[in-house]
Amino acid sequence: MAHRLVTKVIIVGTRVLGRAFAEAYRQAAASSKYASATGKSNLSSANNLASSGLTLDEACRILNVKPPQGGKANMEDVMERFKRLFDNNDPKKGGSFYLQSKILRARERIEMEVRQAEEAVQREAELKEGWKPKVYKDR
C-alpha cells in the first residue's frame, strides 16, 4: 500500500513540474520574441537607456544643455551647470537628495555618450590607418 502512495506522489510531482517547466518555456519564448520584435523596430533602444535609466534627451533637459552633436559637446558648459545645480540642491542647504542624484546621473549620461563617440572615432581612425603595434626600442 505504501509503494502505491509513493508512486502516485512521484507521478503527480513529475506532472506538476513538467507543466511548470513547459509554461516557463512558453513565457520565455514569448518574451524573447517580443524583445526581438521591439528591437528591430527601434534600433537604438538598447543604447537609448543607459545604466542610469536616463535617455540622452532627459539628461540634456535636466542640465539645460544642447545634446552632443556628432559626439562633441561643450563639457565645460556641462560641468559648470552640473556644479551649480549640484551645489544648489545640497541637502545640507535644504535641497533635495533626489534632484541632486538626478543631476549627477544626467552628467554621467552625457559624459558616457561623448566617451562612446570618441571611442568610435578612434576605432575608425585606427581602421583607416591600419594596425600599428607599439614597439618599444629599449627592450
Side-chain angles (χ1 to χ4, degrees):
M1 192 75 149
H3 65 282
R4 284 186 183 175
L5 183 62
V6 170
T7 305
K8 280 190 175 187
V9 168
I10 290 173
I11 291 173
V12 170
T14 305
R15 282 184 188 166
V16 169
L17 285 176
R19 287 180 185 161
F21 279 119
E23 183 63 27
Y25 178 76
R26 276 190 226 114
Q27 285 181 359
S31 175
S32 175
K33 190 175 182 181
Y34 175 76
S36 66
T38 58
K40 289 179 184 174
S41 66
N42 187 4
L43 296 175
S44 65
S45 65
N47 196 21
N48 200 15
L49 288 176
S51 60
S52 65
L54 289 176
T55 63
L56 182 60
D57 186 48
E58 286 175 323
C60 291
R61 281 189 281 149
I62 289 171
L63 292 178
N64 195 22
V65 294
K66 293 181 182 176
Q69 300 295 323
K72 300 200 187 259
N74 186 357
M75 292 309 291
E76 291 83 22
D77 189 33
V78 170
M79 288 305 294
E80 172 191 325
R81 291 175 190 263
F82 163 74
K83 287 178 183 176
R84 184 174 47 82
L85 290 170
F86 194 81
D87 290 341
N88 288 346
N89 286 296
D90 189 10
K92 294 177 183 172
K93 297 178 184 176
S96 168
F97 178 74
Y98 173 76
L99 290 177
Q100 202 177 37
S101 66
K102 280 290 195 183
I103 292 164
L104 177 67
R105 298 297 171 234
R107 187 206 69 193
E108 289 174 347
R109 175 69 167 119
I110 293 172
E111 287 176 344
M112 183 188 73
E113 193 72 27
V114 169
R115 190 176 335 110
Q116 285 177 348
E118 288 174 354
E119 289 172 358
V121 168
Q122 287 176 351
R123 270 184 266 133
E124 287 295 323
E126 186 176 305
L127 286 174
K128 284 182 182 176
E129 72 179 36
W131 186 67
K132 305 266 190 229
K134 294 180 182 174
V135 178
Y136 299 101
K137 295 188 178 191
D138 61 338
R139 292 184 181 168

